[in-house]
Amino acid sequence: MEFRKVLLEKIKGIMENWTDDGIYAVSFFVEPNEDHICQGISNLSEFMISYNTEEDCDFAGPLEEERWNYACWSQNEEAVIEAEEDCKESDMLLSWYQELGITEIGSEPDENDEYDEEMNYIGKGPKGHYELLMLAADIARQLQEEGFLQKRFHKEIPIIVHGLEYAWYDIEATKIANPHGEAHLFLEYAKQELGYSG
């Protein structure tokens, strides 16, 4: 698929320019942007990548919040897909949604479909968000399976695939993204601090 290939090559190109020695985790940040309108669509999900270093988290312990909570990171994002009119990748994203038959992009589902009987959140975010998140996870998985980060940084580095809230689907996406257990410490943090199991 051309769209996936474009994203993969853009991500590799960005990572090739990273030079910090202390990188311990990579962020694939997928989050709806309510502020911008692209081709008449608001709330289109964007895809940014960044990293955090040991210095950035002040050498926090392996399961401490400063190490894994994105709100504590330096958030030095570089855009893979921006919700902008002049972004080639956002145009490709909208064409991809069309190929998948996804309509009403960015619209929020009915609130009754977002929670189960115990009021656990089971929603997947605005329309199109979950599909982009899973694509990001699939690309991250390929990078891990190819050993791209291992070759580039000479060590194992997890890729955390997420939005601001660390919803259940962010945890699932991160599991998919790290097939050899690269994200085990993050997942342990999610289990202890956020109550996710598995």
Side-chain angles (χ1 to χ4, degrees):
M1 166 191 9
E2 182 64 22
F3 178 49
R4 186 185 187 285
K5 183 178 178 185
V6 167
L7 299 184
L8 177 63
E9 292 308 312
K10 186 169 185 179
I11 290 165
K12 285 182 174 180
I14 292 170
M15 288 182 171
E16 288 289 357
N17 290 318
W18 291 349
T19 56
D20 279 313
D21 290 333
I23 296 173
Y24 68 83
V26 169
S27 163
F28 276 24
F29 181 66
V30 181
E31 182 72 9
N33 187 330
E34 298 174 343
D35 299 326
H36 295 168
I37 295 177
C38 179
Q39 293 188 26
I41 297 170
S42 63
N43 214 26
L44 185 68
S45 289
E46 297 184 310
F47 180 6
M48 308 286 179
I49 66 171
S50 64
Y51 60 83
N52 215 42
T53 67
E54 293 289 353
E55 190 173 348
D56 291 332
C57 76
D58 202 21
F59 301 91
L63 299 178
E64 288 186 39
E65 184 174 17
E66 290 79 9
R67 177 170 290 271
W68 298 116
N69 186 339
Y70 190 65
C72 302
W73 286 27
S74 61
Q75 299 181 17
N76 51 350
E77 297 106 341
E78 295 183 69
V80 178
I81 302 173
E82 288 184 281
E84 301 285 350
E85 293 290 353
D86 59 351
C87 176
K88 172 186 81 171
E89 291 82 10
S90 65
D91 292 342
M92 294 181 80
L93 172 63
L94 293 174
S95 295
W96 181 66
Y97 284 148
Q98 192 171 26
E99 288 171 21
L100 294 177
I102 301 171
T103 58
E104 301 177 23
I105 304 304
S107 65
E108 297 285 350
D110 188 302
E111 208 170 282
N112 295 329
D113 299 329
E114 298 277 273
Y115 296 90
D116 65 15
E117 295 93 23
E118 286 85 42
M119 292 308 290
N120 296 310
Y121 179 68
I122 57 169
K124 294 183 177 179
K127 287 198 177 175
H129 178 76
Y130 182 78
E131 289 79 7
L132 179 58
L133 186 82
M134 289 297 113
L135 179 60
D138 185 55
I139 291 170
R141 183 182 187 91
Q142 180 176 339
L143 291 170
Q144 296 289 34
E145 287 177 339
E146 289 178 357
F148 180 84
L149 278 78
Q150 181 75 42
K151 291 172 194 162
R152 177 72 185 83
F153 302 106
H154 311 292
K155 59 184 175 181
E156 184 179 271
I157 298 176
I159 301 175
I160 313 304
V161 186
H162 66 101
L164 284 174
E165 301 297 326
Y166 287 152
W168 68 267
Y169 45 74
D170 296 327
I171 306 305
E172 292 305 311
T174 298
K175 289 178 185 175
I176 291 167
N178 297 277
H180 307 119
E182 295 91 344
H184 69 282
L185 287 175
F186 169 77
L187 294 172
E188 186 61 31
Y189 161 78
K191 184 177 179 181
Q192 287 186 15
E193 298 299 320
L194 308 175
Y196 290 107
S197 60

